[in-house]
Amino acid sequence: MADFTDSEVFLAFSTYATIVILKMMFMSPLTAYFRITRKAFANIEDTQMGKTPDEKKKMLRVNEDVERVRRCHQNDIENVIPFVLVGFLYTLTGPELSTALLLFRLFVGSRFVHSFVYVMAWPQPSRGLSFFVGLCATVCMAYHVLAAGLRL
Amino acid sequence: MADFTDSEVFLAFSTYATIVILKMMFMSPLTAYFRITRKAFANIEDTQMGKTPDEKKKMLRVNEDVERVRRCHQNDIENVIPFVLVGFLYTLTGPELSTALLLFRLFVGSRFVHSFVYVMAWPQPSRGLSFFVGLCATVCMAYHVLAAGLRL
Amino acid sequence: MADFTDSEVFLAFSTYATIVILKMMFMSPLTAYFRITRKAFANIEDTQMGKTPDEKKKMLRVNEDVERVRRCHQNDIENVIPFVLVGFLYTLTGPELSTALLLFRLFVGSRFVHSFVYVMAWPQPSRGLSFFVGLCATVCMAYHVLAAGLRL
């Protein structure tokens, strides 16, 4: 077991996976920040800022900036978690370090670009492209996993 | 370690887990397809098709077909990821190959049926039933994991 | 391999991870329960209760109780899955049993409190606090993973 957990490929995987998971989790405080600065909440118990019940109720609203960050978070969930799951199975197939590093870096890099571009609302195709690069890295790893031993 | 990653149960798990994750990830391009054909987007930077600012703004709308695919994707996230996580722990408990294969096939099969039925809007209880079969497979594996060694 | 899967830290991880995943999955039937009792559905094929087409269409509505449970489920996805993924990598670094148990218990306990407080709509900062405790446990494990072997 120690042979595996000390291998360069596994250490690279665990580093990149942890970094991109932390990046994904960072979207939660970012959402909270936008909710507070935009005064747009989803739960009545979060509107303590408001003094009157009327003012509180007005804070239960949908704000475009908040929704943007939430969509970005959701997109992370849809892509980062498959990467970590497939990436672990890929690491277990014993890939070449150089190939693995390339795929891990491509994915993690593309997700940082994706989040930045999404929150900043940069024009397309920057967001679509960064999404696509990440998707390709995961699909490539999935192909390697299936090729290493397909049992149906 | 190689004993484990070469075992039939692990190879079956890695095959089925990868397939069902790919199926889940396929919902992203499907959502994009529906967004483009229905001209219903969430981000203003995605409405490049529109010529005038007015036309662009009109494309920022909620479309029932798009929402249906998104709910289907969300349901996948809520069920496929627990399956992969619990399934890996279950694989580590060294289950019988026949039992493991049965559970993996039931889950993966039920999720393909679920997505098809959801997107096609087939009458109930087809969707509820396929959801329930998948849930049972995961809960069954979770029970085996807890039974194999409970440490609180 | 058996040395690892029989270790106390791994068994504790697999127990707590499975319990908190089951807790997360329980939000699905809870949502269904609220949807049925509140008669608020998202899909037209789910409104079989309604007799006339008009009555069915009226059931396609957003209900605050349903949305609350769904937000709670979403928050679980955003936090429980990172915990399980990072927690597994953390378990592989061979942490002290006492530290690992403390972090696992803190996280799982905080998530049960979080869901209860969320669904019951208790006043803040109960929800924010329980969210924050869980977040800290995961970030703490992520730090240990990165400290155990950083390969960029």
Side-chain angles (χ1 to χ4, degrees):
Chain A
M1 190 71 196
D3 281 358
F4 171 64
T5 55
D6 289 345
S7 74
E8 287 296 312
V9 174
F10 174 75
L11 287 174
F13 169 72
S14 100
T15 302
Y16 284 105
T18 306
I19 287 172
V20 80
I21 291 173
L22 286 174
K23 189 223 90 45
M24 178 174 80
M25 291 173 69
F26 174 68
M27 302 310 284
S28 285
L30 195 65
T31 306
Y33 168 79
F34 274 96
R35 280 203 184 284
I36 291 165
T37 53
R38 267 61 171 177
K39 292 191 183 163
F41 299 95
N43 299 297
I44 188 76
E45 67 265 30
D46 299 349
T47 57
Q48 293 155 321
M49 287 170 164
K51 277 153 209 156
T52 62
D54 217 51
E55 214 180 327
K56 286 186 184 192
K57 229 175 183 177
K58 259 189 201 156
M59 288 186 188
L60 291 182
R61 57 197 180 89
V62 172
N63 176 278
E64 181 43 37
D65 294 339
V66 173
E67 294 309 305
R68 182 172 282 277
V69 181
R70 289 185 60 215
R71 286 196 298 271
C72 183
H73 195 171
Q74 183 67 14
N75 199 286
D76 263 359
I77 289 172
E78 290 167 9
N79 289 280
V80 168
I81 296 164
F83 163 78
V84 177
L85 297 175
V86 172
F88 182 68
L89 296 175
Y90 171 68
T91 304
L92 285 173
T93 64
E96 286 237 6
L97 180 61
S98 56
T99 321
L101 273 176
L102 179 71
L103 290 169
F104 297 163
R105 283 171 185 164
L106 265 180
F107 182 85
V108 176
S110 77
R111 293 313 299 183
F112 273 92
V113 171
H114 182 272
S115 296
F116 182 80
V117 159
Y118 209 149
V119 175
M120 290 301 177
W122 277 18
Q124 287 281 24
S126 53
R127 200 183 85 233
L129 224 69
S130 56
F131 165 80
F132 190 67
V133 170
L135 190 78
C136 286
T138 306
V139 169
C140 183
M141 293 193 302
Y143 169 77
H144 281 292
V145 171
L146 293 178
L150 192 71
R151 293 291 187 288
L152 282 169
Chain B
M1 190 71 195
D3 281 358
F4 171 64
T5 55
D6 289 346
S7 74
E8 288 297 311
V9 175
F10 175 76
L11 287 174
F13 168 73
S14 101
T15 302
Y16 284 105
T18 305
I19 288 172
V20 81
I21 290 173
L22 286 175
K23 189 225 89 45
M24 178 174 79
M25 290 174 70
F26 174 68
M27 303 310 284
S28 285
L30 195 66
T31 306
Y33 168 79
F34 274 96
R35 281 202 183 283
I36 291 165
T37 54
R38 266 64 172 175
K39 294 190 182 164
F41 299 94
N43 299 298
I44 188 74
E45 67 265 29
D46 299 349
T47 58
Q48 293 155 323
M49 288 173 161
K51 279 152 209 156
T52 61
D54 216 50
E55 214 179 325
K56 286 187 185 192
K57 229 175 182 178
K58 258 188 202 156
M59 288 187 187
L60 291 183
R61 58 197 180 88
V62 172
N63 176 278
E64 182 43 37
D65 295 339
V66 173
E67 293 309 305
R68 183 172 282 277
V69 181
R70 288 185 61 215
R71 286 196 296 270
C72 183
H73 195 172
Q74 182 67 13
N75 199 287
D76 263 0
I77 289 172
E78 290 166 9
N79 288 281
V80 168
I81 295 163
F83 163 79
V84 177
L85 297 175
V86 173
F88 181 68
L89 296 174
Y90 171 69
T91 304
L92 285 173
T93 65
E96 286 237 7
L97 180 61
S98 55
T99 321
L101 274 176
L102 179 71
L103 291 168
F104 297 162
R105 283 170 185 164
L106 266 179
F107 181 85
V108 176
S110 75
R111 292 314 299 184
F112 273 92
V113 172
H114 182 273
S115 295
F116 182 81
V117 159
Y118 209 148
V119 174
M120 290 303 179
W122 278 17
Q124 288 280 26
S126 54
R127 200 183 86 231
L129 225 69
S130 57
F131 166 80
F132 190 67
V133 170
L135 190 77
C136 286
T138 306
V139 169
C140 183
M141 293 193 303
Y143 169 77
H144 280 292
V145 170
L146 293 180
L150 193 71
R151 292 290 186 290
L152 282 169
Chain C
M1 190 71 195
D3 281 359
F4 171 65
T5 55
D6 289 344
S7 73
E8 287 296 311
V9 174
F10 174 75
L11 287 174
F13 169 72
S14 100
T15 302
Y16 283 105
T18 306
I19 288 172
V20 81
I21 290 172
L22 286 174
K23 189 223 90 47
M24 179 174 79
M25 291 174 69
F26 173 70
M27 303 310 284
S28 285
L30 194 66
T31 306
Y33 168 80
F34 275 96
R35 281 204 183 282
I36 291 165
T37 54
R38 267 63 172 175
K39 293 190 182 164
F41 299 94
N43 299 298
I44 189 74
E45 68 265 29
D46 299 350
T47 58
Q48 293 155 322
M49 288 171 163
K51 279 151 210 157
T52 62
D54 217 51
E55 213 178 327
K56 287 187 184 192
K57 228 175 182 177
K58 258 189 203 156
M59 288 188 188
L60 290 183
R61 57 197 180 89
V62 173
N63 176 277
E64 182 43 37
D65 294 339
V66 174
E67 293 309 306
R68 182 172 283 276
V69 181
R70 289 185 60 215
R71 287 196 297 270
C72 183
H73 196 171
Q74 182 67 14
N75 198 286
D76 263 1
I77 289 172
E78 290 166 9
N79 289 279
V80 168
I81 296 164
F83 163 78
V84 177
L85 297 174
V86 172
F88 181 68
L89 296 175
Y90 171 68
T91 304
L92 286 173
T93 64
E96 285 237 7
L97 180 61
S98 55
T99 321
L101 274 176
L102 178 71
L103 290 169
F104 297 163
R105 283 172 185 164
L106 265 179
F107 181 85
V108 176
S110 76
R111 294 312 300 182
F112 273 92
V113 171
H114 181 272
S115 296
F116 182 81
V117 158
Y118 208 149
V119 175
M120 290 303 179
W122 277 17
Q124 288 279 26
S126 52
R127 200 183 85 232
L129 224 69
S130 56
F131 165 80
F132 190 68
V133 169
L135 189 78
C136 286
T138 306
V139 169
C140 183
M141 293 193 303
Y143 169 77
H144 281 292
V145 171
L146 293 179
L150 192 71
R151 293 290 187 289
L152 282 169

